[in-house]
């Protein structure tokens, strides 16, 4: 059997001596050390003869470059050499510039050489490389995805706008005092006509349109705009054209549309022939004249519109919606304008002040708010109005929460990888000592080790981008339990890619710098003697600090997760006032042209009878809204009562629901006094209502509300072709308070009216099953979802799933923090285990001496465990100091749970202490099993 390779084979002496003579001193020692390291590997792999031949070839290749470097250095010492060099510098000769280029080239060559050494070193540690890349990749991906969402909402410049610095947004103050409200169409006309600083102005309204004529009808997010919208914004369609001037007339004979890029791709396969074709929107054919660029976002919300249509073109000229264009009190438009060249925002604001004074004088009813104050026009730059002012702070807070949480996860990953690289630096102390003995300075060693750290950092950055793309896809594709056209525009654009690259570079420096600083100060004498034992001072102290950081960050995440889980549990146990058990829901919409109130009410009665006859159905009820769901939108009405305090501080608008008899009984809404609705409460009967306790106390404190009357005005009724004159209702019942819009809302005034008296064209159909809600979903699909051109605002689903959207923020936060806390706990346990294991190895002789002179095994165990637990306690103390203010910062969303909840802090502390104890005891028990005499003999 042949002997193994000789790992101590020296390099060829003549070749080594030749290279020593040829190379200049600054490069000699590094080059020789690098060649000898590679020689050792080739001896192990290919044998001594092949390795020595390779060494000779490398020396021969280096002779000529080395001689040139020698001659260049020698020429500086020749007579006149310094003078000639100064003359070349003064003349700016090309040779001197080439010298600078050579210096840069040498730096590049050195960097590439360090990369090559780093690749070779990491190739010998595949497990460490894999752990580093995966750990950092997950952390970088999470924080990049969080930043991508924040960037899309707050920082990204809108796509397609021309000269956005000249664009401004104008707002009209609302009744409640909000300065950033919408404007009416007559107000827009006055703004466009009278503000001389404007080159043009466009009005924008956002709405949902039904796309018909397809096998799967869908709801589209549409922007109704004036015909000059594309001219004002400067957005140019990628194919086709924008709207012409005459195409914006209400009720145009042939309405037109510009498609959004995503709709064009998804629905029409990116076919350029779509221009000139038609699409059916709300049952009316529209000619497609163009396709907008990809990524264009609505000015009303950070969403991508599916289609743009000229204002008033969807309905006929005499439709209630178009009739509202002449109503100065109907405010549903955002005004976007472009400044004239040379005009300034202060000039525009001064002109707006003059206009608002004139409007308040000429139209006091419409231009005076509910508190008797004149309305105000507010002009803001495009950058400051990308989102409605006031929402930036909320979104910024949410962004800080998610970026901060994912940043903690990345910090834990960096700490763990740093510990791993510190351990590698300890194992490479002999290598670093040899390099230092051969002349490598500390700065040179630090540069080499940092360059090596860039390799896994770059790989982790690529993995992080893949993880971020996956997370962003999940967020962008998330859907609500309603058929709402909500499609967030979240992209990994250049800013996000730059953020990911900076994060990967920062992570590389974080986990690479500390090991580089320690590895660049080797004990040369011990390294040359071959002593690779761990030195406690320095490296181990740094690893201790990292374990403390991991424990602290893990505690913050675990406490946060426990707080949000408890808040979620508290929210789901809150008495909501409705019982969704065994109830499934869907929506039904009737065309106003075909169904007036009489026909619609009869249709609803027939629908209830038809569904009630289906086997397995226990009860069927209809309603305008659904409490605690998104279908509560649009249920706000104005309420007045004779003899009440007319103070402007009193709220005058309240939420209501319009329901069929039996609705309150089916959902378990308790009736405290009087009666509920009856089948006889129809169009010819007196108008009746059931109020909740809070509304009764608001208007009739200490009095009997039964038989009392109040007046209701529905401002939105006119837009839907219904009677909008104020109507008087009589109270026939009082129901218990519940939750209507939000699960943590304070007691809110609320009332119900009869659907057979207070008609609505779109209703929620609620079916209660004998066995389960899921069994009722096919019933709704068969008997309610039948018209191919009818888009279901609320597709068949369980009522419980609709209620779950109330808790989505708590679910997302608790899951993110739970996964992050578990990840941090796992890494912290590994860190403590590693520290204690190294301590056991390091102090084996000490433990043997202790046991030899009579120490009990339990005493030895306590000495070692104390070390690991000390680190854990320091980390927990630091974590508590961080978690306390962090919990207070999110108290507004912790419904029913104190930010200083003792259970949350106790659970986090208990879990980490138990995990730290186990991580300390396992290696400590190994130390107690040593044979003292055998160990001392070996020493």
């Amino acid at each position: 059997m042949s002997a193994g390779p000789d790992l101590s084979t020296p390099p060829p002496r003549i070749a080594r001596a030749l290279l020593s003579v040829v190379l200049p001193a600054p490069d000699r020692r590094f080059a020789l050390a690098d060649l000898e390291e590679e020689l050792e590997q080739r001896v192990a792999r290919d044998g001594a003869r092949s390795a020595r031949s390779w060494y000779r070839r490398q020396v021969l290749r280096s002779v000529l470059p080395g001689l040139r470097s020698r001659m260049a250095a020698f020429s500086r010492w020749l007579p006149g050499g310094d003078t000639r060099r100064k003359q070349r510098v003064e003349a700016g000769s090309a040779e001197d510039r080439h010298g600078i280029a050579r210096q840069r080239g040498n730096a590049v060559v050195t960097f590439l050489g360090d990369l090559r050494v780093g690749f070779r070193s990491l190739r010998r540690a595949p497990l460490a490389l894999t752990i580093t890349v995966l750990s950092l990749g997950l952390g970088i991906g999470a924080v990049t995805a969080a930043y991508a969402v924040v960037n899309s909402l707050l920082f990204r410049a809108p796509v397609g706008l021309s000269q956005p610095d000249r664009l401004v947004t104008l707002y009209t103050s609302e009744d409640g005092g909000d300065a950033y409200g919408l404007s009416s169409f007559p107000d827009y006309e006055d703004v466009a006509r009278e503000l001389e600083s404007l080159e043009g102005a466009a009005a924008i309204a956002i709405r949902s349109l039904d796309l018909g004529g397809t096998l799967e009808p869908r709801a589209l997010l549409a922007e109704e705009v004036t015909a000059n919208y594309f001219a004002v914004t400067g957005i140019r369609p990628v194919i086709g054209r924008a709207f012409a001037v005459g195409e914006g007339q209400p009720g145009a004979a042939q309405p037109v549309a510009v498609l959004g890029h995503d709709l064009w791709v998804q629905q029409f396969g990116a076919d350029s022939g779509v221009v000139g074709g038609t699409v059916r929107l709300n049952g009316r054919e529209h000619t497609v004249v163009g396709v907008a660029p990809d990524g264009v976002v609505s000015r009303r919300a950070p969403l991508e519109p599916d289609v743009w249509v000229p204002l008033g073109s969807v309905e006929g000229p005499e439709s209630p919606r178009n009739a509202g264009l002449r109503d100065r009190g109907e405010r549903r438009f955002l005004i976007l304008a472009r400044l004239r060249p040379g005009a300034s925002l202060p000039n525009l604001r001064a002109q707006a002040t003059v206009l608002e004074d004139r409007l308040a004088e000429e139209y006091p009813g419409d231009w005076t708010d509910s508190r008797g104050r004149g309305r105000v026009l507010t002009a803001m730059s495009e950058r400051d109005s990308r989102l409605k002012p006031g929402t930036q702070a909320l979104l910024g807070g949410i962004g800080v929460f998610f970026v901060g949480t994912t940043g903690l996860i990345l910090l834990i990953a960096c700490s763990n990888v740093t510990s791993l690289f510190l351990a590698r630096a300890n194992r490479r102390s002999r290598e670093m000592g040899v390099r230092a003995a051969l002349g490598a300075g500390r700065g040179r060693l630090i540069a080499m080790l940092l360059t090596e750290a860039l390799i896994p950092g770059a790989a982790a950055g690529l993995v992080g981008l893949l993880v971020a793309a996956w997370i962003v896809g999940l967020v962008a594709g998330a859907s609500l339990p309603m058929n709402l056209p909500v499609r967030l525009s979240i992209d990994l654009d250049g800013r996000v890619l730059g953020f990911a690259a900076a994060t990967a570079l920062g992570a590389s420096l974080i986990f690479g710098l500390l090991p580089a600083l320690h590895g660049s100060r080797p004990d040369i004498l011990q390294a040359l003697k071959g002593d690779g034992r761990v030195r406690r001072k320095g490296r181990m102290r740094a690893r201790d600090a990292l374990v403390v950081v991991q424990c602290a960050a893990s505690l913050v995440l675990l406490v946060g997760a426990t707080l949000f889980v408890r808040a979620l549990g508290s929210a789901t146990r809150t008495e909501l006032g409705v019982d969704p058990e065994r109830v499934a829901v869907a929506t039904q919409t009737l065309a106003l042209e075909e169904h007036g109130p009489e026909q619609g009410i009869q249709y609803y009665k027939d629908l209830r009878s038809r569904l009630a006859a289906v086997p397995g159905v226990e009860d069927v009820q209809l309603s305008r809204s659904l409490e605690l769901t998104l279908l509560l939108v649009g249920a706000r009405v104005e309420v007045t009562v004779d003899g009440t305090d007319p103070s402007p501080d009193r709220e005058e608008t309240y939420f209501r629901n319009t329901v069929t008899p039996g609705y309150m009984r089916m959902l378990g809404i308790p009736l405290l006094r009087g009666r509920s609705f009856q089948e006889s409460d129809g169009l010819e009967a007196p108008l009746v209502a059931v109020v909740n306790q809070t509304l009764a106390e608001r208007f009739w404190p200490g009095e009997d509300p039964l038989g009392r009357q109040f007046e209701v005005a529905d401002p939105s009724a006119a837009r839907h072709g219904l009677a909008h004159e104020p109507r008087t209702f009589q109270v026939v019942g009082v129901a218990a308070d519940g939750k209507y819009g939000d699960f943590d809302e304070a007691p809110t005034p609320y009332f119900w009216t009869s659907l057979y008296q207070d008609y609505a064209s779109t209703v929620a159909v609620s079916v209660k099953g004998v066995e389960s809600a899921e069994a009722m979903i096919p019933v709704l699909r068969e008997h309610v979802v039948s018209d191919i051109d009818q888009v279901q605002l609320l597709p068949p689903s369980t009522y419980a799933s609709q209620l779950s959207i109330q808790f989505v923020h708590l679910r997302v936060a608790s899951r993110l923090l739970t996964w992050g806390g578990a990840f941090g706990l796992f890494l912290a346990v590994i860190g403590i285990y590693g520290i204690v294991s190294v301590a056991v190895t390091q102090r084996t002789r000490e433990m043997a001496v202790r046991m030899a002179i009579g120490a009990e095994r339990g005493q030895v165990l306590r000495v070692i465990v104390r070390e690991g637990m000390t680190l854990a306690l320091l980390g927990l103390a630091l974590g508590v100091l961080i978690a306390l203010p962090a919990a207070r910062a999110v108290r507004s969303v912790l419904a029913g749970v104190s930010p200083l909840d003792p259970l949350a802090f106790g659970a986090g502390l208990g879990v980490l202490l138990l995990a730290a104890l186990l991580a300390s005891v396992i290696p400590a028990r190994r130390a107690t099993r040593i044979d003292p005499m055998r160990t001392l003999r070996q020493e």
Side-chain angles (χ1 to χ4, degrees):
M1 181 180 295
S2 61
D6 183 9
L7 300 181
S8 60
T9 301
R13 293 182 179 180
I14 297 177
R16 190 181 190 281
L18 177 63
L19 192 62
S20 300
V21 172
V22 168
L23 292 179
D27 300 331
R28 183 185 308 145
R29 292 178 179 176
F30 173 74
L32 289 174
D34 196 23
L35 283 173
E36 289 175 9
E37 181 181 355
E38 181 67 18
L39 176 68
E40 183 180 348
Q41 295 182 24
R42 289 181 176 269
V43 168
R45 185 176 66 247
D46 304 327
R49 178 177 297 179
S50 175
R52 290 167 65 87
S53 298
W54 170 86
Y55 190 97
R56 294 187 186 96
R57 290 195 300 272
Q58 297 300 314
V59 170
L60 290 177
R61 293 173 183 172
S62 304
V63 168
L64 288 179
L67 287 175
R68 283 198 296 267
S69 299
R70 276 286 193 180
M71 293 303 297
F74 180 70
S75 66
R76 297 192 185 99
W77 299 99
L78 294 177
D82 188 59
T83 302
R84 287 193 298 272
R85 185 175 60 83
K86 291 181 178 178
Q87 291 174 350
R88 287 198 301 271
V89 172
E90 293 171 357
S93 66
E95 183 179 352
D96 192 59
R97 292 194 295 272
H98 289 320
I100 296 174
R102 281 197 299 272
Q103 293 177 6
R104 294 175 180 172
N106 288 338
V108 172
V109 170
T110 301
F111 175 73
L112 294 177
D114 288 346
L115 281 180
R116 182 166 56 86
V117 172
F119 274 115
R120 194 165 59 223
S121 176
L122 291 170
R123 189 175 59 192
R124 296 195 295 266
L127 180 60
L129 179 62
T130 302
I131 293 174
T132 299
V133 172
L134 291 181
S135 299
L136 291 180
L138 291 174
I140 292 172
V143 74
T144 300
Y147 177 78
V149 177
V150 174
N151 173 66
S152 297
L153 295 177
L154 298 178
F155 304 134
R156 189 176 64 183
V159 173
L161 298 184
S162 174
Q163 296 180 305
D165 56 309
R166 290 174 53 199
L167 288 176
V168 295
T169 306
L170 287 98
Y171 301 94
T172 302
S173 60
E174 296 180 342
D175 285 336
D178 184 3
Y180 308 106
L182 301 178
S183 305
S184 67
F185 191 73
D187 291 342
Y188 154 74
E189 292 178 317
D190 288 331
V191 166
R193 182 174 56 251
E194 299 190 24
L195 299 187
E196 297 177 355
S197 294
L198 298 181
E199 185 178 72
I204 308 168
I206 196 168
R207 64 182 297 188
S208 176
L209 296 179
D210 298 345
L211 175 65
T214 62
L215 293 178
E216 295 184 1
R218 55 182 286 191
L220 303 182
L221 182 69
E223 279 197 332
E224 278 190 307
V225 297
T226 49
N228 65 341
Y229 167 79
F230 290 97
V232 170
T233 59
I235 298 173
R236 297 182 179 180
V238 291
I239 60 172
R241 61 174 177 84
F243 299 136
V245 176
E247 291 173 334
Q249 301 302 319
Q254 183 57 53
V256 295
V258 171
L259 300 182
H261 193 274
D262 282 354
L263 181 67
W264 175 53
V265 172
Q266 297 168 8
Q267 199 72 32
F268 301 96
D271 181 12
S272 58
V274 70
V275 175
T278 61
V279 292
R280 186 185 299 176
L281 303 176
N282 277 23
R284 192 175 188 192
E285 298 292 338
H286 287 64
T287 300
V288 178
V289 297
V291 176
D294 186 18
V296 175
V297 177
S298 170
R299 299 298 302 181
R300 293 283 304 276
L303 307 173
E304 293 187 18
D306 293 305
V307 66
W308 286 263
V309 293
L311 186 62
S313 66
V314 177
E315 291 86 9
E318 300 304 323
S319 66
R321 188 176 182 88
N322 284 340
L325 296 177
R326 299 185 290 272
D327 185 355
R328 194 174 289 272
E330 186 174 323
R331 305 181 182 279
R332 54 186 174 95
F333 297 98
L334 183 70
I335 301 176
L336 184 65
R338 180 173 291 276
L339 292 173
R340 293 184 185 276
S344 66
L345 196 58
N347 290 339
L348 175 63
R349 287 170 176 165
Q351 295 169 11
T353 301
V354 175
L355 176 60
E356 68 191 27
D357 291 340
R358 183 184 70 77
L359 293 175
E361 182 178 350
E362 293 186 11
Y363 309 101
D366 294 321
W367 263 80
T368 302
D369 63 20
S370 59
R371 300 185 181 183
R373 299 173 301 190
R375 299 186 186 273
V376 177
L377 281 172
T378 301
M380 301 190 70
S381 66
E382 182 276 330
R383 183 179 184 85
D384 294 334
S385 59
R386 289 173 187 170
L387 291 174
K388 182 179 178 180
T391 61
Q392 290 96 329
L394 174 62
L395 293 175
I398 296 173
V400 168
F401 172 78
F402 283 106
V403 173
T405 300
T406 53
L408 277 178
I409 297 173
L410 178 59
L411 176 63
I412 294 173
C414 287
S415 299
N416 188 63
V417 173
T418 304
S419 298
L420 186 65
F421 270 64
L422 278 171
R424 291 190 71 246
N426 179 67
R427 291 193 296 271
R428 298 175 65 186
S429 59
R430 182 175 182 273
E431 174 194 345
M432 295 298 109
V434 171
R435 290 182 181 275
L438 292 175
R442 190 183 183 200
R444 184 72 193 83
L445 294 178
I446 291 175
M448 185 187 72
L449 292 173
L450 283 179
T451 303
E452 180 179 317
L454 291 176
I455 298 171
L462 295 177
V463 173
L465 282 177
L466 295 177
V467 173
W470 175 69
I471 296 175
V472 165
L474 292 179
V475 174
S479 59
L480 299 174
M482 292 188 72
N483 195 4
L484 295 177
V486 177
R487 281 170 288 281
L488 290 174
S489 175
I490 304 175
D491 298 316
L492 300 182
D493 58 13
R495 191 193 300 268
V496 176
L497 295 179
F499 176 85
T503 303
L505 178 61
S508 301
L509 293 178
I510 289 174
F511 78 77
L513 184 58
L514 192 58
L517 291 175
H518 284 283
S520 63
R521 290 188 299 184
D523 188 332
I524 298 178
L525 181 61
Q526 295 292 343
L528 294 178
K529 288 168 57 180
D531 186 0
R533 289 181 297 177
V534 178
R535 297 292 177 261
R536 176 69 188 169
K537 185 175 180 181
R539 293 187 186 91
M540 296 307 298
R541 188 177 300 164
R543 290 190 67 187
D544 291 352
L546 293 172
V547 171
V548 170
V549 170
Q550 287 179 335
C551 290
S554 300
L555 178 65
V556 173
L557 293 174
L558 288 174
V559 168
T562 308
L563 283 173
F564 276 96
V565 167
R566 282 181 47 76
L568 178 61
S570 174
T572 54
R573 291 191 303 271
T574 300
E575 184 59 44
L576 301 178
V578 295
D579 180 12
E581 187 70 21
R582 295 184 285 123
V583 178
V585 294
T587 52
Q588 173 74 67
T589 300
L590 302 181
L592 290 173
E593 294 80 2
E594 301 175 8
H595 299 86
E598 294 83 1
Q599 296 89 343
I601 290 172
Q602 186 58 50
Y603 176 85
Y604 290 151
K605 290 181 178 181
D606 295 341
L607 176 63
R608 290 184 63 197
S609 300
R610 188 167 68 249
L611 288 172
V614 176
V617 174
E618 179 180 309
D619 198 359
V620 180
Q621 301 295 335
L622 311 180
S623 59
R624 177 194 295 264
S625 304
L626 280 173
E627 284 78 10
L628 286 171
T629 71
L630 295 179
L631 203 62
L632 196 66
V633 176
R636 201 172 183 91
V637 292
E638 298 175 359
V639 176
T640 56
V641 176
D642 292 339
T644 57
D645 182 10
S647 169
D649 294 333
R650 178 181 289 278
E651 183 69 38
E652 294 182 348
T653 59
Y654 302 96
F655 282 104
R656 60 91 183 265
N657 198 357
T658 302
V659 301
T660 53
Y663 174 86
M664 302 177 73
R665 181 192 66 250
M666 183 183 76
L667 292 183
I669 301 175
L671 189 66
L672 303 180
R673 299 189 60 190
R675 67 173 178 88
S676 186
F677 302 111
Q678 301 172 351
E679 296 291 335
S680 58
D681 293 325
L683 290 175
E684 304 301 326
L687 301 178
V688 295
V690 175
V691 301
N692 71 346
Q693 290 173 285
T694 300
L695 190 143
E697 288 296 324
R698 173 71 58 88
F699 289 118
W700 307 284
E703 301 178 14
D704 185 3
L706 296 181
R708 298 301 185 103
Q709 295 182 339
F710 60 95
E711 194 174 81
V712 176
D714 185 356
S716 66
R719 294 198 297 270
H720 297 89
L722 303 174
H724 59 282
E725 295 297 329
R727 296 186 294 167
T728 301
F729 289 81
Q730 183 178 7
V731 178
V732 296
V734 179
D737 285 339
K739 307 295 184 180
Y740 310 108
D742 197 349
F743 71 91
D744 61 349
E745 68 186 7
T748 304
Y750 194 82
F751 67 97
W752 296 262
T753 59
S754 172
L755 182 63
Y756 296 160
Q757 296 179 329
D758 193 6
Y759 175 69
S761 58
T762 298
V763 296
V765 182
S766 301
V767 178
K768 189 169 188 177
V770 174
E771 297 181 355
S772 68
E774 289 74 14
M776 296 297 97
I777 292 178
V779 175
L780 289 171
R781 286 201 180 102
E782 181 180 355
H783 296 276
V784 178
V785 185
S786 56
D787 187 355
I788 192 174
D789 284 336
Q790 177 179 308
V791 176
Q792 287 289 305
L793 180 61
L794 199 68
S797 58
T798 65
Y799 197 170
S801 69
Q802 298 298 322
L803 293 178
S804 66
I805 196 174
Q806 288 282 339
F807 317 121
V808 65
H809 61 294
L810 296 177
R811 294 185 191 277
V812 171
S814 59
R815 287 180 183 177
L816 175 63
L817 290 168
T818 298
W819 282 105
F823 180 65
L825 178 64
F826 173 72
L827 295 183
V829 168
I830 290 177
I832 294 174
Y833 181 87
I835 288 288
V836 177
S837 295
V838 171
V840 168
T841 304
Q842 179 183 357
R843 302 170 65 182
T844 300
R845 185 175 184 277
E846 175 191 344
M847 296 300 105
V849 171
R850 285 175 180 266
M851 296 172 67
I853 62 177
E856 298 290 337
R857 295 183 183 272
Q859 293 176 324
V860 174
L861 183 69
R862 285 194 296 272
V863 168
I864 298 177
V865 169
R866 186 184 303 120
E867 186 167 353
M869 294 306 296
T870 300
L871 296 179
L873 290 173
L874 289 174
L876 295 181
L878 178 61
V880 169
L881 294 178
I882 299 173
L884 286 173
R888 289 192 182 99
V890 296
R891 68 171 64 194
S892 60
V893 296
L894 298 176
V897 177
S898 169
L900 304 180
D901 181 51
L903 180 60
F905 280 86
L909 290 169
V911 169
L912 268 170
L913 281 175
L914 179 60
L917 182 62
L918 291 175
S920 302
V921 167
I922 293 174
R925 285 178 60 85
R926 188 170 67 246
T928 62
R929 299 192 186 101
I930 63 174
D931 185 339
M933 302 310 298
R934 178 182 298 178
T935 302
L936 292 176
R937 282 197 299 269
Q938 291 175 351
E939 288 287 334

